[in-house]
Amino acid sequence: MADSVQHPEMEAEVVIVGGGPAGLACALHLARLYAAQGRSAENILLLEKGRALGAHQLSGAVMDPRGLRALEPEFASDPELGAIPVEDDALFLLSPDHALRSPVTPPPLHNHGNYVVSLNRLAQWLGAKVEAAGVSVFPATAGRELLWENDKLIGVRTDDKGVGRDGRPKSNFEPGYDLFAPVVVLAEGPRGSLTKQLLARCALGGANPQVYSLGVKEVWELPANRFPAGRVYHTLGWPIPPELYGGGWIYGLGGNRVSLGLMTALEYADPATDPHNLFQQFKTHPWMRALLAGGELVRFGAKTTPMGGWYALPPLAGNHWLLLGDAAGFVNSQRLKGIHLALESGRLAAEAIFAGALARYPESVRASWMHEELWPVRNFHQGFEHGLFAGLANAALQMATGGRGLHERYPSVPGHERMRTITTLGDPPPRLTPDGALTFDKVTDVYHSGTRHEEDQPSHLLIADTDICNRRCTFEYGNPCQNFCPAHVYEMVFDEHGAKQLHLNPSNCVHCKTCDIADPYQIITWVPPEGGGGPSYDGM
Amino acid sequence: MKILVCLKQVPAKDAPLKLNQAATWIREDVSFETNEPDAFALEAALRLKEAHGGEVVALTLGPARAAQVLREALAKGADRAIHLDAGEAAAGAPPLDAFAIAEAVSRAIAGESYDLILTGLQSDDAGYGQTGVILAELLGAPHATIIMQVEPAGERRIKVKRELESGNFQFVEMPTPAVLTIQSGINKLRYATLMGIKQAKNKPLARMTLEEIGASAGLNRQLVHRLFVPSKSKGTTLISGSAKEQAAALVAHLRNDAHVI
């Protein structure tokens, strides 16, 4: 069908793919630079695949104000944003039965001066300013394909609308637009689908491969005065196995609500590892159980985070393109923060676009506090490849040597390569059966993510060869897709001959990208479903 | 034809709902979207305009966020829009009922002459199914409900198809101006195009407040005292015994407890 369709065209000055903090900061700053010259911002186009700005924005989140302050110095006093100053922070070490409060909070987890925010709300708040500045914002519109002229990126094709499950156009079919622009900004978040196309086509990457963690989050409403607004707790240890990187969080959001979640590195050996189930176990810790008693689940979400740090950054600019925020990999994995870096990358990108010199963007990143912050922790995440204790020892060593540790660059491998076949492993890790009150199955949680997709559309999870799933993977890895997907998209069902067969529930997808990342055969390609589909992360 | 489409912004279908403290309404910390039957009313209006010419005006009543349904209607092809801004309701204040909404709309459009007023047959949130009908009464216009098809039938007349029970339909010819309440699923909703979204910014969107037209919740004829979340009571009973005993027990259960046979 794709060949016979006429795509309407639109010329633009800049196309920004993704309405998260990076894309919005870029759009806002660029529109303001334009305004100072009396130029209209209407040919700055911003695409957002969620049904509205903010719909797919999920984070913990504790935000370092540095990035936002550069754009909006008075953000802290705006009740529309509702940023809550961190009042109190602590680190807890969990064993299965005990929670030990660390006598000192390690400096990277000091959060005084930072703010508890909802990333969903931040995106809506920034988005309103971006729209008011005259940028053309297109919600419910995904970037589906990059448009090239030889090695020069010339634009983005948006998603076709109204294509049926059989791939045929329905009566309300609307072809995607070809948006042509001299600058394409990819700010798609972690493992962006266009970013993946771009890096593959240009054979680009960082010195180290990018690695990811999956964060599974719930918002709970607790009895009054249980957990104050602005309190920030982090946890290490149980139920994350000691050989794996990860940890939990609980943040006081105000209004008797808390954000709680667990990060699990997608770098595990045992294919039975289930980050959603680990998060459910986390809530059954006696300390957590007491905290949550009498409370109620309000929202759910899941999202990956790039953890590879400075050495995993691909080139940030190329032939008419720029990479921003999580799409590039700007996360400080030691401080577990990236929003400030995403915002600043957007601002610096806007400066370079405005100057008509894209190559200035990577230079200005290197000259900025982003580099100053990320360079000393360039080896932090790699230090955890042999687990928590080795990682903490490495972290101490790196702190003493300005980030270098024993040698300049600690290498790493893509997380999926660490997965081992089931025959080489002992018993799978314990699983918890949800009770429906404190702990929930994936389907119940997905309901609380507000996820919805047009049902009559082709699957947006492209599996290169399902024979590998049904034959090889079943025996080699036991179909880990069922475990790593936090939204029950992947299911193995028995066919009429009693053989296991992969069944997909694409409508459940919360767009976390875990499958694209963690699949040991790398045969799953996540592409955006029809624009407007996906979660609705209100207040997340 | 000059067509007014009344659209309501309602909580998104998949939004996890919670009651407010007084249990008189839901907490509004959810996403909102265009009421589904209203979206079909808009689609019907746009198709009438495309086939027979005229103008489509979109109208909504709600707080600032409700203007989103108008922006979407403009992006899909409505010519202009009217936002009856209800302001931010004070916590615990009752939402307007069907009568108050119809009264407000009738006052807002006084002085304009529409050939057709279309709206969804009911809202997905309050579900009164009354607003369109009361609006017709207030305007002194005829109305028809649960409409599946509309076509012009000569000078100032239309022919409509109504859905009745058990797969039956009724075809009615009626004079215009008229108010029609539209059934969901009667057509295939269009998508807003990027060009449509861009052009919508330059279309007129008039705003008037409820005070300006003298409307308020004081017009309500109905008061919601309390909402309840239905309690889930799913139970599984295992019937034991021989096949014959099981069948007898099952029949007794269906007859005496479930009351289905």
Side-chain angles (χ1 to χ4, degrees):
Chain A
M1 187 187 77
D3 299 336
S4 59
V5 170
Q6 274 292 328
H7 292 272
E9 297 178 359
M10 198 185 275
E11 298 284 336
E13 291 171 42
V14 183
V15 176
I16 301 170
V17 184
L24 290 169
C26 180
L28 183 60
H29 191 57
L30 188 56
R32 286 174 176 171
L33 292 171
Y34 274 24
Q37 282 195 340
R39 264 166 88 182
S40 155
E42 73 165 328
N43 291 321
I44 303 171
L45 314 184
L46 185 140
L47 312 183
E48 166 54 44
K49 68 182 163 64
R51 65 191 82 132
L53 285 176
H56 292 182
Q57 299 304 312
L58 173 80
S59 187
V62 175
M63 182 185 72
D64 178 332
R66 207 167 178 184
L68 190 52
R69 210 165 259 151
L71 286 169
E72 288 290 331
E74 305 301 326
F75 79 90
S77 58
D78 191 336
E80 286 291 310
L81 177 62
I84 301 165
V86 173
E87 298 290 344
D88 158 27
D89 57 11
L91 174 69
F92 289 79
L93 305 173
L94 303 192
S95 72
D97 307 315
H98 294 92
L100 176 69
R101 185 177 178 131
S102 171
V104 287
T105 304
L109 293 176
H110 272 177
N111 278 300
H112 282 280
N114 294 331
Y115 292 81
V116 177
V117 295
S118 151
L119 191 60
N120 161 267
R121 221 163 142 186
L122 175 63
Q124 291 181 44
W125 183 80
L126 276 177
K129 296 179 191 299
V130 167
E131 296 205 72
V135 172
S136 295
V137 176
F138 299 122
T141 304
R144 182 61 200 251
E145 242 176 276
L146 295 173
L147 302 171
W148 298 89
E149 190 180 278
N150 301 319
D151 288 334
K152 177 182 165 192
L153 184 57
I154 55 168
V156 174
R157 175 169 293 170
T158 67
D159 60 316
D160 291 336
K161 303 266 198 299
V163 179
R165 193 174 279 121
D166 55 6
R168 284 223 261 272
K170 296 184 273 189
S171 65
N172 60 349
F173 175 72
E174 285 289 343
Y177 273 63
D178 284 351
L179 308 173
F180 295 107
V183 183
V184 173
V185 177
L186 298 181
E188 299 178 285
R191 196 72 159 197
S193 46
L194 294 182
T195 307
K196 190 179 169 187
Q197 283 176 31
L198 177 110
L199 298 179
R201 182 185 161 110
C202 303
L204 295 172
N208 280 342
Q210 188 54 276
V211 291
Y212 300 86
S213 284
L214 173 61
V216 178
K217 168 177 171 176
E218 287 175 355
V219 169
W220 277 59
E221 192 157 297
L222 302 183
N225 307 321
R226 178 79 56 84
F227 199 91
R231 173 174 285 174
V232 168
Y233 283 175
H234 288 105
T235 74
L236 281 176
W238 192 86
I240 301 283
E243 69 279 6
L244 194 62
Y245 180 76
W249 78 80
I250 312 152
Y251 303 152
L253 304 177
N256 301 324
R257 288 190 175 190
V258 290
S259 157
L260 49 132
L262 188 76
M263 299 275 285
T264 303
L266 297 174
E267 297 176 89
Y268 47 79
D270 193 330
T273 305
D274 182 331
H276 177 273
N277 201 268
L278 284 171
F279 170 63
Q280 300 306 322
Q281 294 178 42
F282 174 57
K283 290 186 290 177
T284 65
H285 191 280
W287 177 68
M288 287 291 285
R289 198 182 275 277
L291 175 79
L292 297 174
E296 197 187 1
L297 167 67
V298 183
R299 293 277 188 278
F300 166 82
K303 191 92 186 101
T304 48
T305 306
M307 298 298 256
W310 188 264
Y311 281 127
L313 292 175
L316 302 174
N319 204 352
H320 297 258
W321 53 264
L322 299 175
L323 294 181
L324 272 56
D326 276 1
F330 285 124
V331 170
N332 180 336
S333 57
Q334 187 188 40
R335 295 175 70 210
L336 300 168
K337 284 185 182 54
I339 299 171
H340 64 308
L341 298 165
L343 291 163
E344 182 67 2
S345 77
R347 199 181 70 83
L348 295 177
E351 297 272 349
I353 296 166
F354 187 68
L358 299 189
R360 270 195 210 167
Y361 165 59
E363 287 165 22
S364 58
V365 167
R366 242 169 261 124
S368 73
W369 55 258
M370 293 175 69
H371 178 265
E372 218 168 87
E373 176 176 337
L374 290 175
W375 184 249
V377 294
R378 63 194 178 278
N379 285 316
F380 175 77
H381 183 77
Q382 297 94 297
F384 281 82
E385 85 173 292
H386 299 294
L388 177 64
F389 300 109
L392 293 175
N394 273 320
L397 177 65
Q398 289 163 13
M399 272 171 101
T401 57
R404 188 176 180 277
L406 292 176
H407 42 94
E408 184 39 56
R409 176 171 66 86
Y410 282 45
S412 83
V413 299
H416 68 88
E417 288 181 9
R418 295 190 191 275
M419 202 181 279
R420 285 168 52 190
T421 53
I422 36 182
T423 48
T424 66
L425 293 159
D427 290 340
R431 277 189 80 83
L432 170 139
T433 305
D435 63 12
L438 176 67
T439 54
F440 302 97
D441 60 22
K442 292 178 179 178
V443 172
T444 305
D445 262 343
V446 168
Y447 167 73
H448 286 88
S449 69
T451 296
R452 185 176 58 188
H453 292 86
E454 163 65 48
E455 294 281 344
D456 186 11
Q457 66 170 309
S459 171
H460 68 281
L461 303 149
L462 310 181
I463 297 175
D465 181 0
T466 48
D467 268 357
I468 292 183
C469 311
N470 301 337
R471 305 193 199 290
R472 271 182 70 186
C473 188
T474 303
F475 302 105
E476 292 181 346
Y477 296 101
N479 303 108
C481 53
Q482 310 168 90
N483 304 319
F484 57 59
C485 172
H488 198 60
V489 170
Y490 296 85
E491 204 178 350
M492 295 306 290
V493 296
F494 289 99
D495 67 10
E496 64 267 34
H497 309 296
K500 268 190 178 178
Q501 217 168 10
L502 177 65
H503 174 77
L504 294 177
N505 307 304
S507 299
N508 279 2
C509 179
V510 296
H511 298 206
C512 71
K513 317 284 180 79
T514 299
C515 53
D516 194 299
I517 294 163
D519 159 32
Y521 303 97
Q522 292 291 290
I523 55 170
I524 302 175
T525 304
W526 190 99
V527 297
E530 185 174 297
S536 188
Y537 285 145
D538 306 311
M540 290 284 273
Chain B
M1 250 191 283
K2 185 171 168 183
I3 307 172
L4 179 75
V5 184
C6 300
L7 304 137
K8 185 179 188 183
Q9 193 187 43
V10 297
K13 273 218 179 66
D14 299 86
L17 302 179
K18 305 267 176 209
L19 296 184
N20 67 11
Q21 199 117 40
T24 51
W25 194 237
I26 57 154
R27 290 195 224 163
E28 304 213 319
D29 57 348
V30 292
S31 319
F32 289 83
E33 64 188 8
T34 303
N35 180 42
E36 189 181 70
D38 299 348
F40 286 97
L42 173 68
E43 183 63 37
L46 294 172
R47 289 180 184 209
L48 282 170
K49 178 188 128 175
E50 281 158 4
H52 308 289
E55 184 188 19
V56 172
V57 181
L59 178 146
T60 196
L61 185 157
R65 60 169 159 75
Q68 181 58 26
V69 309
L70 299 179
R71 284 192 285 270
E72 284 173 23
L74 293 171
K76 286 183 172 186
D79 299 284
R80 60 189 173 91
I82 303 167
H83 180 198
L84 303 185
D85 193 340
E88 297 305 320
L96 298 195
D97 71 4
F99 178 82
I101 294 170
E103 180 68 39
V105 173
S106 75
R107 291 185 195 184
I109 61 168
E112 292 213 56
S113 54
Y114 290 98
D115 300 303
L116 273 183
I117 296 178
L118 305 188
T119 188
L121 60 89
Q122 64 182 25
S123 59
D124 289 340
D125 57 353
Y128 293 122
Q130 290 296 307
T131 310
V133 177
I134 297 171
L135 176 62
E137 285 302 309
L138 294 171
L139 296 171
H143 75 264
T145 54
I146 327 180
I147 298 301
M148 304 198 62
Q149 225 171 335
V150 190
E151 53 192 70
E155 189 65 17
R156 295 194 158 268
R157 288 190 79 74
I158 50 169
K159 189 180 171 193
V160 300
K161 177 184 175 186
R162 295 189 64 215
E163 185 180 77
L164 303 179
E165 303 274 309
S166 27
N168 292 314
F169 303 102
Q170 180 185 25
F171 293 86
V172 185
E173 251 194 57
M174 59 196 293
T176 61
V179 179
L180 305 177
T181 72
I182 304 290
Q183 171 66 302
S184 270
I186 63 163
N187 46 38
K188 192 103 183 141
L189 301 178
R190 72 190 59 198
Y191 295 92
T193 64
L194 301 197
M195 196 46 86
I197 294 171
K198 227 177 156 191
Q199 285 167 348
K201 284 190 174 178
N202 299 319
K203 291 181 176 176
L205 200 168
R207 176 179 165 272
M208 49 183 107
T209 64
L210 289 187
E211 295 84 69
E212 280 164 13
I213 51 173
S216 71
L219 294 167
N220 280 359
R221 306 267 175 113
Q222 181 179 320
L223 181 67
V224 176
H225 280 282
R226 178 122 199 243
L227 296 177
F228 298 87
V229 177
S231 55
K232 283 183 200 152
S233 53
K234 198 170 83 177
T236 306
T237 313
L238 219 57
I239 302 170
S240 54
S242 68
K244 200 171 171 182
E245 288 162 358
Q246 286 182 29
L250 179 61
V251 168
H253 177 75
L254 293 175
R255 186 169 287 149
N256 304 331
D257 305 329
H259 306 291
V260 291
I261 53 173

